[in-house]
Structure formats: C-alpha cells, structure tokens
Short mmCIF file of all heavy atoms in Angstrom, two decimals:
data_model
loop_
_atom_site.label_atom_id
_atom_site.label_comp_id
_atom_site.label_asym_id
_atom_site.label_seq_id
_atom_site.Cartn_x
_atom_site.Cartn_y
_atom_site.Cartn_z
N MET A 1 129.76 120.28 119.03
CA MET A 1 129.18 119.36 118.09
C MET A 1 129.65 119.73 116.69
O MET A 1 130.01 120.88 116.44
CB MET A 1 127.66 119.41 118.19
CG MET A 1 127.01 120.52 117.43
SD MET A 1 125.23 120.37 117.45
CE MET A 1 124.85 122.09 117.27
N VAL A 2 129.65 118.75 115.81
CA VAL A 2 130.11 118.96 114.44
C VAL A 2 128.97 118.57 113.48
O VAL A 2 128.37 117.51 113.62
CB VAL A 2 131.36 118.12 114.13
CG1 VAL A 2 131.77 118.28 112.67
CG2 VAL A 2 132.50 118.50 115.05
N VAL A 3 128.68 119.47 112.54
CA VAL A 3 127.72 119.19 111.48
C VAL A 3 128.45 119.26 110.15
O VAL A 3 129.44 119.98 110.01
CB VAL A 3 126.51 120.16 111.50
CG1 VAL A 3 125.75 120.05 112.79
CG2 VAL A 3 126.93 121.58 111.24
N THR A 4 127.97 118.52 109.18
CA THR A 4 128.53 118.55 107.84
C THR A 4 127.61 119.36 106.95
O THR A 4 126.41 119.10 106.90
CB THR A 4 128.70 117.13 107.28
OG1 THR A 4 129.57 116.40 108.15
CG2 THR A 4 129.31 117.15 105.88
N VAL A 5 128.18 120.34 106.27
CA VAL A 5 127.42 121.23 105.40
C VAL A 5 127.77 120.91 103.96
O VAL A 5 128.95 120.90 103.60
CB VAL A 5 127.71 122.71 105.70
CG1 VAL A 5 126.91 123.61 104.78
CG2 VAL A 5 127.43 123.03 107.16
N HIS A 6 126.75 120.65 103.16
CA HIS A 6 126.91 120.39 101.73
C HIS A 6 126.39 121.62 101.00
O HIS A 6 125.23 121.99 101.16
CB HIS A 6 126.12 119.16 101.31
CG HIS A 6 126.49 117.93 102.07
ND1 HIS A 6 127.48 117.08 101.65
CD2 HIS A 6 126.02 117.42 103.24
CE1 HIS A 6 127.59 116.08 102.53
NE2 HIS A 6 126.72 116.29 103.50
N LEU A 7 127.24 122.25 100.22
CA LEU A 7 126.85 123.42 99.43
C LEU A 7 126.56 122.99 98.00
O LEU A 7 127.31 122.20 97.42
CB LEU A 7 127.97 124.46 99.46
CG LEU A 7 128.35 124.98 100.85
CD1 LEU A 7 129.58 125.88 100.76
CD2 LEU A 7 127.19 125.71 101.49
N HIS A 8 125.49 123.52 97.46
CA HIS A 8 125.07 123.12 96.11
C HIS A 8 125.15 124.30 95.15
O HIS A 8 124.96 125.45 95.52
CB HIS A 8 123.63 122.58 96.16
CG HIS A 8 123.53 121.32 96.95
ND1 HIS A 8 123.64 120.07 96.38
CD2 HIS A 8 123.35 121.11 98.28
CE1 HIS A 8 123.52 119.14 97.33
NE2 HIS A 8 123.35 119.76 98.49
N THR A 9 125.43 123.98 93.92
CA THR A 9 125.54 124.89 92.78
C THR A 9 126.34 126.15 93.11
O THR A 9 127.44 126.07 93.60
CB THR A 9 124.14 125.22 92.18
OG1 THR A 9 123.38 125.92 93.13
CG2 THR A 9 123.42 123.96 91.76
N ILE A 10 125.76 127.32 92.89
CA ILE A 10 126.50 128.59 93.03
C ILE A 10 127.02 128.84 94.44
O ILE A 10 128.01 129.54 94.63
CB ILE A 10 125.63 129.77 92.54
CG1 ILE A 10 126.51 130.99 92.33
CG2 ILE A 10 124.47 130.03 93.47
CD1 ILE A 10 125.82 132.11 91.59
N LEU A 11 126.38 128.26 95.46
CA LEU A 11 126.84 128.48 96.84
C LEU A 11 128.24 127.93 97.06
O LEU A 11 128.96 128.40 97.93
CB LEU A 11 125.86 127.85 97.83
CG LEU A 11 124.46 128.46 97.87
CD1 LEU A 11 123.59 127.71 98.86
CD2 LEU A 11 124.51 129.93 98.22
N ARG A 12 128.64 126.96 96.27
CA ARG A 12 129.99 126.38 96.41
C ARG A 12 131.08 127.41 96.18
O ARG A 12 132.17 127.28 96.72
CB ARG A 12 130.18 125.24 95.40
CG ARG A 12 129.32 124.06 95.68
CD ARG A 12 129.49 123.02 94.60
NE ARG A 12 128.68 121.86 94.92
CZ ARG A 12 128.42 120.89 94.08
NH1 ARG A 12 128.92 120.92 92.86
NH2 ARG A 12 127.68 119.88 94.45
N ARG A 13 130.80 128.43 95.39
CA ARG A 13 131.81 129.44 95.05
C ARG A 13 131.74 130.67 95.95
O ARG A 13 132.50 131.60 95.77
CB ARG A 13 131.63 129.88 93.61
CG ARG A 13 131.89 128.76 92.62
CD ARG A 13 131.67 129.25 91.24
NE ARG A 13 130.25 129.57 91.11
CZ ARG A 13 129.58 129.58 89.98
NH1 ARG A 13 130.20 129.32 88.86
NH2 ARG A 13 128.31 129.86 89.94
N GLN A 14 130.84 130.69 96.91
CA GLN A 14 130.63 131.90 97.70
C GLN A 14 131.29 131.87 99.08
O GLN A 14 131.06 132.75 99.88
CB GLN A 14 129.13 132.16 97.86
CG GLN A 14 128.47 132.50 96.55
CD GLN A 14 127.02 132.86 96.72
OE1 GLN A 14 126.46 132.81 97.80
NE2 GLN A 14 126.38 133.23 95.63
N THR A 15 132.13 130.90 99.34
CA THR A 15 132.79 130.85 100.65
C THR A 15 134.05 131.71 100.61
O THR A 15 134.66 131.90 99.55
CB THR A 15 133.19 129.41 101.04
OG1 THR A 15 134.22 128.96 100.17
CG2 THR A 15 132.00 128.46 100.98
N PRO A 16 134.45 132.25 101.75
CA PRO A 16 135.68 133.05 101.81
C PRO A 16 136.92 132.28 101.38
O PRO A 16 137.89 132.86 100.91
CB PRO A 16 135.78 133.46 103.27
CG PRO A 16 134.41 133.33 103.82
CD PRO A 16 133.77 132.23 103.03
N ASP A 17 136.90 130.95 101.53
CA ASP A 17 138.05 130.12 101.19
C ASP A 17 138.02 129.59 99.77
O ASP A 17 138.77 128.70 99.42
CB ASP A 17 138.15 128.94 102.17
CG ASP A 17 138.44 129.40 103.58
OD1 ASP A 17 139.09 130.44 103.75
OD2 ASP A 17 138.00 128.71 104.52
N GLY A 18 137.11 130.12 98.94
CA GLY A 18 137.01 129.65 97.56
C GLY A 18 136.04 128.49 97.46
O GLY A 18 135.23 128.25 98.35
N ARG A 19 136.12 127.76 96.38
CA ARG A 19 135.16 126.69 96.09
C ARG A 19 135.19 125.60 97.16
O ARG A 19 136.23 125.01 97.43
CB ARG A 19 135.47 126.10 94.72
CG ARG A 19 134.46 125.07 94.28
CD ARG A 19 134.80 124.56 92.88
NE ARG A 19 133.94 123.47 92.51
CZ ARG A 19 132.74 123.61 91.97
NH1 ARG A 19 132.27 124.80 91.70
NH2 ARG A 19 132.01 122.55 91.67
N GLN A 20 134.04 125.38 97.76
CA GLN A 20 133.88 124.34 98.78
C GLN A 20 132.59 123.58 98.50
O GLN A 20 131.54 124.20 98.30
CB GLN A 20 133.77 124.96 100.18
CG GLN A 20 134.95 125.75 100.63
CD GLN A 20 136.08 124.86 101.08
OE1 GLN A 20 135.87 123.81 101.66
NE2 GLN A 20 137.29 125.29 100.81
N GLU A 21 132.63 122.27 98.49
CA GLU A 21 131.42 121.48 98.30
C GLU A 21 130.91 120.93 99.63
O GLU A 21 129.72 120.75 99.80
CB GLU A 21 131.68 120.34 97.33
CG GLU A 21 131.95 120.85 95.92
CD GLU A 21 132.12 119.74 94.92
OE1 GLU A 21 131.62 118.62 95.16
OE2 GLU A 21 132.74 120.00 93.88
N GLN A 22 131.82 120.66 100.54
CA GLN A 22 131.45 120.07 101.82
C GLN A 22 132.36 120.62 102.91
O GLN A 22 133.56 120.70 102.72
CB GLN A 22 131.59 118.55 101.74
CG GLN A 22 131.22 117.84 103.02
CD GLN A 22 131.28 116.34 102.84
OE1 GLN A 22 130.83 115.81 101.84
NE2 GLN A 22 131.83 115.65 103.82
N LEU A 23 131.75 121.00 104.03
CA LEU A 23 132.50 121.55 105.15
C LEU A 23 132.04 120.89 106.44
O LEU A 23 130.85 120.66 106.63
CB LEU A 23 132.24 123.05 105.29
CG LEU A 23 132.48 123.94 104.09
CD1 LEU A 23 131.68 125.22 104.22
CD2 LEU A 23 133.94 124.26 104.02
N ASP A 24 132.96 120.60 107.32
CA ASP A 24 132.62 120.18 108.67
C ASP A 24 132.74 121.41 109.55
O ASP A 24 133.78 122.08 109.57
CB ASP A 24 133.55 119.08 109.17
CG ASP A 24 133.30 117.76 108.47
OD1 ASP A 24 132.13 117.49 108.10
OD2 ASP A 24 134.25 116.99 108.29
N VAL A 25 131.65 121.75 110.25
CA VAL A 25 131.59 122.97 111.04
C VAL A 25 131.33 122.60 112.50
O VAL A 25 130.42 121.83 112.80
CB VAL A 25 130.48 123.91 110.53
CG1 VAL A 25 130.42 125.18 111.35
CG2 VAL A 25 130.71 124.23 109.05
N THR A 26 132.14 123.16 113.40
CA THR A 26 131.95 122.95 114.83
C THR A 26 131.09 124.08 115.38
O THR A 26 131.38 125.25 115.16
CB THR A 26 133.31 122.93 115.56
OG1 THR A 26 134.11 121.88 114.98
CG2 THR A 26 133.14 122.67 117.04
N LEU A 27 130.02 123.70 116.08
CA LEU A 27 129.08 124.65 116.66
C LEU A 27 128.86 124.33 118.13
O LEU A 27 129.11 123.21 118.57
CB LEU A 27 127.73 124.56 115.94
CG LEU A 27 127.70 124.87 114.45
CD1 LEU A 27 126.39 124.42 113.85
CD2 LEU A 27 127.91 126.35 114.23
N LEU A 28 128.33 125.31 118.85
CA LEU A 28 127.94 125.08 120.23
C LEU A 28 126.67 124.25 120.27
O LEU A 28 125.81 124.36 119.39
CB LEU A 28 127.70 126.41 120.95
CG LEU A 28 128.91 127.33 121.10
CD1 LEU A 28 128.47 128.66 121.69
CD2 LEU A 28 129.97 126.67 121.96
N SER A 29 126.50 123.44 121.29
CA SER A 29 125.29 122.66 121.47
C SER A 29 124.09 123.59 121.50
O SER A 29 124.14 124.66 122.10
CB SER A 29 125.39 121.87 122.78
OG SER A 29 124.23 121.11 122.97
N GLY A 30 123.02 123.21 120.83
CA GLY A 30 121.82 124.03 120.78
C GLY A 30 121.81 125.04 119.66
O GLY A 30 120.86 125.82 119.53
N SER A 31 122.84 125.05 118.80
CA SER A 31 122.89 126.00 117.69
C SER A 31 121.81 125.69 116.65
O SER A 31 121.41 124.54 116.48
CB SER A 31 124.26 125.96 117.02
OG SER A 31 125.26 126.46 117.88
N THR A 32 121.38 126.72 115.95
CA THR A 32 120.37 126.59 114.91
C THR A 32 120.99 126.84 113.54
O THR A 32 122.15 127.27 113.44
CB THR A 32 119.23 127.61 115.12
OG1 THR A 32 119.79 128.92 114.98
CG2 THR A 32 118.59 127.45 116.49
N LEU A 33 120.19 126.63 112.50
CA LEU A 33 120.65 126.98 111.16
C LEU A 33 120.98 128.46 111.07
O LEU A 33 121.93 128.85 110.41
CB LEU A 33 119.59 126.61 110.12
CG LEU A 33 119.53 125.12 109.74
CD1 LEU A 33 118.29 124.85 108.91
CD2 LEU A 33 120.78 124.70 109.00
N ALA A 34 120.22 129.29 111.76
CA ALA A 34 120.48 130.74 111.76
C ALA A 34 121.85 131.04 112.36
O ALA A 34 122.51 132.00 111.96
CB ALA A 34 119.39 131.47 112.53
N ASP A 35 122.30 130.23 113.32
CA ASP A 35 123.63 130.40 113.91
C ASP A 35 124.72 129.92 112.94
O ASP A 35 125.81 130.48 112.90
CB ASP A 35 123.75 129.62 115.21
CG ASP A 35 122.77 130.08 116.27
OD1 ASP A 35 122.53 131.30 116.37
OD2 ASP A 35 122.23 129.22 116.99
N LEU A 36 124.41 128.89 112.19
CA LEU A 36 125.38 128.28 111.28
C LEU A 36 125.70 129.16 110.08
O LEU A 36 126.87 129.33 109.73
CB LEU A 36 124.85 126.93 110.79
CG LEU A 36 125.58 126.28 109.62
CD1 LEU A 36 126.97 125.84 110.03
CD2 LEU A 36 124.78 125.13 109.06
N ILE A 37 124.69 129.71 109.45
CA ILE A 37 124.86 130.43 108.18
C ILE A 37 125.93 131.53 108.26
O ILE A 37 126.83 131.57 107.41
CB ILE A 37 123.52 131.00 107.68
CG1 ILE A 37 122.49 129.88 107.48
CG2 ILE A 37 123.71 131.80 106.40
CD1 ILE A 37 122.84 128.83 106.46
N PRO A 38 125.92 132.41 109.26
CA PRO A 38 126.97 133.45 109.31
C PRO A 38 128.38 132.88 109.45
O PRO A 38 129.33 133.45 108.93
CB PRO A 38 126.60 134.28 110.54
CG PRO A 38 125.17 134.02 110.78
CD PRO A 38 124.93 132.62 110.30
N ASP A 39 128.51 131.73 110.12
CA ASP A 39 129.82 131.10 110.27
C ASP A 39 130.41 130.65 108.94
O ASP A 39 131.62 130.51 108.82
CB ASP A 39 129.73 129.88 111.20
CG ASP A 39 129.58 130.26 112.66
OD1 ASP A 39 129.68 131.47 112.99
OD2 ASP A 39 129.35 129.36 113.48
N LEU A 40 129.56 130.42 107.95
CA LEU A 40 130.04 129.95 106.64
C LEU A 40 130.60 131.08 105.79
O LEU A 40 131.35 130.84 104.86
CB LEU A 40 128.91 129.25 105.89
CG LEU A 40 128.34 128.00 106.57
CD1 LEU A 40 127.14 127.49 105.78
CD2 LEU A 40 129.40 126.93 106.73
N GLY A 41 130.21 132.32 106.09
CA GLY A 41 130.69 133.46 105.34
C GLY A 41 130.17 133.53 103.91
O GLY A 41 130.81 134.12 103.04
N LEU A 42 129.00 132.94 103.66
CA LEU A 42 128.44 132.95 102.32
C LEU A 42 127.94 134.34 101.95
O LEU A 42 127.44 135.09 102.80
CB LEU A 42 127.27 131.96 102.22
CG LEU A 42 127.61 130.50 102.46
CD1 LEU A 42 126.35 129.67 102.44
CD2 LEU A 42 128.60 129.99 101.43
N ALA A 43 128.02 134.66 100.67
CA ALA A 43 127.51 135.94 100.19
C ALA A 43 125.98 135.95 100.15
O ALA A 43 125.36 136.99 100.25
CB ALA A 43 128.07 136.23 98.80
N ALA A 44 125.36 134.79 100.04
CA ALA A 44 123.90 134.68 99.95
C ALA A 44 123.26 134.79 101.33
O ALA A 44 123.80 134.31 102.32
CB ALA A 44 123.51 133.35 99.32
N ALA A 45 122.10 135.43 101.38
CA ALA A 45 121.34 135.54 102.62
C ALA A 45 120.54 134.27 102.85
O ALA A 45 120.13 133.61 101.89
CB ALA A 45 120.39 136.73 102.54
N PRO A 46 120.31 133.89 104.12
CA PRO A 46 119.55 132.67 104.40
C PRO A 46 118.18 132.62 103.71
O PRO A 46 117.74 131.56 103.29
CB PRO A 46 119.39 132.69 105.92
CG PRO A 46 120.53 133.51 106.40
CD PRO A 46 120.79 134.53 105.33
N ARG A 47 117.53 133.77 103.56
CA ARG A 47 116.20 133.77 102.93
C ARG A 47 116.28 133.41 101.44
O ARG A 47 115.27 133.12 100.83
CB ARG A 47 115.51 135.10 103.14
CG ARG A 47 116.18 136.26 102.46
CD ARG A 47 115.49 137.58 102.77
NE ARG A 47 116.22 138.69 102.24
CZ ARG A 47 117.29 139.26 102.78
NH1 ARG A 47 117.73 138.81 103.94
NH2 ARG A 47 117.89 140.27 102.23
N SER A 48 117.48 133.44 100.87
CA SER A 48 117.63 133.08 99.46
C SER A 48 118.12 131.64 99.29
O SER A 48 118.55 131.26 98.21
CB SER A 48 118.60 134.04 98.78
OG SER A 48 119.91 133.88 99.30
N MET A 49 118.02 130.85 100.38
CA MET A 49 118.48 129.46 100.33
C MET A 49 117.36 128.50 100.70
O MET A 49 116.49 128.82 101.51
CB MET A 49 119.60 129.24 101.34
CG MET A 49 120.87 129.91 101.04
SD MET A 49 122.09 129.45 102.29
CE MET A 49 122.80 131.05 102.61
N ILE A 50 117.44 127.32 100.11
CA ILE A 50 116.61 126.20 100.55
C ILE A 50 117.49 125.41 101.49
O ILE A 50 118.63 125.05 101.16
CB ILE A 50 116.18 125.33 99.35
CG1 ILE A 50 115.30 126.16 98.41
CG2 ILE A 50 115.48 124.06 99.83
CD1 ILE A 50 115.02 125.47 97.09
N MET A 51 117.00 125.15 102.70
CA MET A 51 117.78 124.47 103.72
C MET A 51 117.15 123.12 104.05
O MET A 51 115.94 123.02 104.22
CB MET A 51 117.85 125.33 104.98
CG MET A 51 118.52 126.67 104.74
SD MET A 51 118.56 127.72 106.21
CE MET A 51 116.95 128.47 106.10
N GLU A 52 117.99 122.10 104.11
CA GLU A 52 117.57 120.75 104.49
C GLU A 52 118.50 120.23 105.55
O GLU A 52 119.71 120.48 105.52
CB GLU A 52 117.60 119.81 103.29
CG GLU A 52 116.65 120.17 102.18
CD GLU A 52 116.78 119.25 100.99
OE1 GLU A 52 117.66 118.34 100.98
OE2 GLU A 52 116.01 119.43 100.03
N VAL A 53 117.94 119.50 106.50
CA VAL A 53 118.73 118.83 107.52
C VAL A 53 118.36 117.35 107.49
O VAL A 53 117.19 117.00 107.62
CB VAL A 53 118.48 119.42 108.93
CG1 VAL A 53 119.28 118.66 109.98
CG2 VAL A 53 118.83 120.91 108.95
N ASN A 54 119.36 116.52 107.26
CA ASN A 54 119.17 115.08 107.18
C ASN A 54 118.08 114.70 106.18
O ASN A 54 117.25 113.83 106.42
CB ASN A 54 118.87 114.50 108.57
CG ASN A 54 119.99 114.78 109.53
OD1 ASN A 54 121.17 114.78 109.18
ND2 ASN A 54 119.65 115.04 110.79
N GLY A 55 118.07 115.42 105.04
CA GLY A 55 117.15 115.10 103.96
C GLY A 55 115.76 115.67 104.10
O GLY A 55 114.90 115.40 103.26
N ARG A 56 115.51 116.47 105.13
CA ARG A 56 114.18 117.05 105.34
C ARG A 56 114.26 118.57 105.30
O ARG A 56 115.21 119.15 105.83
CB ARG A 56 113.61 116.62 106.68
CG ARG A 56 113.36 115.14 106.73
CD ARG A 56 112.76 114.76 108.06
NE ARG A 56 112.38 113.36 107.98
CZ ARG A 56 111.31 112.86 108.52
NH1 ARG A 56 110.50 113.63 109.22
NH2 ARG A 56 111.03 111.59 108.40
N PRO A 57 113.26 119.22 104.71
CA PRO A 57 113.25 120.69 104.70
C PRO A 57 113.30 121.25 106.12
O PRO A 57 112.73 120.68 107.05
CB PRO A 57 111.91 121.03 104.04
CG PRO A 57 111.52 119.81 103.28
CD PRO A 57 112.10 118.66 104.04
N ALA A 58 114.01 122.35 106.28
CA ALA A 58 114.16 122.96 107.61
C ALA A 58 114.16 124.48 107.46
O ALA A 58 114.51 125.01 106.41
CB ALA A 58 115.46 122.50 108.26
N ASN A 59 113.76 125.17 108.53
CA ASN A 59 113.82 126.62 108.52
C ASN A 59 114.97 127.07 109.42
O ASN A 59 115.62 126.26 110.07
CB ASN A 59 112.48 127.24 108.93
CG ASN A 59 111.99 126.74 110.26
OD1 ASN A 59 112.78 126.38 111.12
ND2 ASN A 59 110.69 126.70 110.44
N SER A 60 115.18 128.37 109.46
CA SER A 60 116.37 128.89 110.12
C SER A 60 116.40 128.66 111.64
O SER A 60 117.46 128.69 112.24
CB SER A 60 116.55 130.37 109.82
OG SER A 60 115.44 131.09 110.27
N ASP A 61 115.25 128.39 112.27
CA ASP A 61 115.25 128.15 113.71
C ASP A 61 115.39 126.68 114.08
O ASP A 61 115.30 126.30 115.25
CB ASP A 61 114.02 128.77 114.38
CG ASP A 61 112.71 128.16 113.92
OD1 ASP A 61 112.71 127.35 112.97
OD2 ASP A 61 111.67 128.51 114.52
N HIS A 62 115.66 125.83 113.08
CA HIS A 62 115.87 124.40 113.32
C HIS A 62 117.11 124.19 114.19
O HIS A 62 118.18 124.69 113.87
CB HIS A 62 116.02 123.66 111.99
CG HIS A 62 116.21 122.20 112.14
ND1 HIS A 62 115.16 121.32 112.14
CD2 HIS A 62 117.33 121.45 112.31
CE1 HIS A 62 115.63 120.08 112.30
NE2 HIS A 62 116.94 120.15 112.40
N ILE A 63 116.95 123.47 115.29
CA ILE A 63 118.08 123.17 116.18
C ILE A 63 118.89 122.01 115.61
O ILE A 63 118.34 120.96 115.28
CB ILE A 63 117.59 122.86 117.61
CG1 ILE A 63 116.89 124.09 118.19
CG2 ILE A 63 118.76 122.42 118.50
CD1 ILE A 63 116.21 123.85 119.51
N LEU A 64 120.18 122.23 115.50
CA LEU A 64 121.08 121.22 114.94
C LEU A 64 121.62 120.30 116.03
O LEU A 64 121.70 120.68 117.19
CB LEU A 64 122.23 121.91 114.22
CG LEU A 64 121.82 122.76 113.02
CD1 LEU A 64 122.96 123.66 112.57
CD2 LEU A 64 121.34 121.88 111.89
N HIS A 65 122.00 119.09 115.60
CA HIS A 65 122.56 118.08 116.51
C HIS A 65 123.85 117.53 115.92
O HIS A 65 124.07 117.57 114.70
CB HIS A 65 121.56 116.94 116.72
CG HIS A 65 120.25 117.41 117.27
ND1 HIS A 65 120.08 117.72 118.60
CD2 HIS A 65 119.07 117.65 116.68
CE1 HIS A 65 118.84 118.12 118.80
NE2 HIS A 65 118.20 118.09 117.64
N ASP A 66 124.70 117.01 116.77
CA ASP A 66 125.96 116.44 116.33
C ASP A 66 125.73 115.41 115.24
O ASP A 66 124.86 114.54 115.35
CB ASP A 66 126.67 115.78 117.53
CG ASP A 66 128.09 115.39 117.19
OD1 ASP A 66 128.82 116.23 116.64
OD2 ASP A 66 128.47 114.24 117.48
N GLY A 67 126.48 115.53 114.16
CA GLY A 67 126.39 114.59 113.05
C GLY A 67 125.36 114.93 112.00
O GLY A 67 125.25 114.22 111.00
N ASP A 68 124.59 116.01 112.19
CA ASP A 68 123.59 116.39 111.19
C ASP A 68 124.25 116.67 109.85
O ASP A 68 125.39 117.15 109.78
CB ASP A 68 122.82 117.63 111.63
CG ASP A 68 121.68 117.31 112.58
OD1 ASP A 68 121.35 116.13 112.78
OD2 ASP A 68 121.08 118.28 113.12
N GLN A 69 123.51 116.37 108.79
CA GLN A 69 123.92 116.66 107.42
C GLN A 69 123.04 117.81 106.92
O GLN A 69 121.83 117.66 106.80
CB GLN A 69 123.71 115.43 106.53
CG GLN A 69 124.51 114.22 106.94
CD GLN A 69 125.99 114.39 106.68
OE1 GLN A 69 126.40 114.78 105.59
NE2 GLN A 69 126.80 114.10 107.69
N VAL A 70 123.65 118.96 106.70
CA VAL A 70 122.93 120.15 106.27
C VAL A 70 123.21 120.37 104.78
O VAL A 70 124.36 120.37 104.36
CB VAL A 70 123.39 121.38 107.08
CG1 VAL A 70 122.71 122.65 106.57
CG2 VAL A 70 123.13 121.18 108.56
N HIS A 71 122.14 120.55 104.01
CA HIS A 71 122.27 120.85 102.59
C HIS A 71 121.72 122.24 102.35
O HIS A 71 120.60 122.55 102.76
CB HIS A 71 121.49 119.83 101.74
CG HIS A 71 122.14 118.48 101.72
ND1 HIS A 71 122.95 118.08 100.69
CD2 HIS A 71 122.14 117.48 102.62
CE1 HIS A 71 123.39 116.86 100.95
NE2 HIS A 71 122.91 116.48 102.11
N LEU A 72 122.51 123.08 101.69
CA LEU A 72 122.11 124.44 101.37
C LEU A 72 122.10 124.59 99.85
O LEU A 72 123.10 124.30 99.19
CB LEU A 72 123.07 125.45 101.99
CG LEU A 72 123.21 125.39 103.51
CD1 LEU A 72 124.27 126.37 103.99
CD2 LEU A 72 121.87 125.67 104.19
N LYS A 73 120.95 125.03 99.34
CA LYS A 73 120.77 125.19 97.89
C LYS A 73 120.21 126.58 97.63
O LYS A 73 119.41 127.09 98.42
CB LYS A 73 119.78 124.15 97.38
CG LYS A 73 120.17 122.73 97.69
CD LYS A 73 119.06 121.76 97.38
CE LYS A 73 119.45 120.37 97.87
NZ LYS A 73 118.39 119.39 97.67
N PRO A 74 120.60 127.20 96.52
CA PRO A 74 120.00 128.50 96.21
C PRO A 74 118.52 128.33 95.88
O PRO A 74 118.14 127.35 95.23
CB PRO A 74 120.80 129.00 95.01
CG PRO A 74 121.48 127.82 94.46
CD PRO A 74 121.57 126.79 95.53
N ALA A 75 117.71 129.26 96.35
CA ALA A 75 116.28 129.24 96.03
C ALA A 75 116.07 129.89 94.68
O ALA A 75 116.64 130.93 94.40
CB ALA A 75 115.49 129.96 97.11
N GLY A 76 115.25 129.26 93.88
CA GLY A 76 114.88 129.85 92.59
C GLY A 76 115.85 129.69 91.53
O GLY A 76 116.79 129.55 91.14
#
C-alpha cells in the first residue's frame, strides 16, 4: 500500500534526502504510524510530532490504509 506523507515546517528539513514537503511511502498492509515514522528517517521523535491521517488527529498505533494522507507537524 502507498500513503502520502506531508511534512510541515521544520520537519521538511529533517529527512535524509534533504528538504521534502511530500513523500509517497510504500508500506506493508496493516502498518501503523509507528511503523511509518522510522522509514522516513526524521531526526524528530514521534512523541514530538502532531500526527493526522486524512485530516483527523491520530496516535502512533493508528492503522494506515492505501491512499491515506498523513500530515506530520512538530508539536509545540
């Protein structure tokens, strides 16, 4: 399955590949946000992010589905 990840503000500069605003990420079926975050290689820890899936707040155990739109924002 493929999800689209939108990185906001400072998170855009924390990817291993440099500045990224949007990424399409392929995950195994049944993957959660907790599975996704390490794949992005961000310097920020999940607990320091506000996570939304399809416009709704989500926590790290949220199960993702094909086509989901994930927004990650720094907390605070």
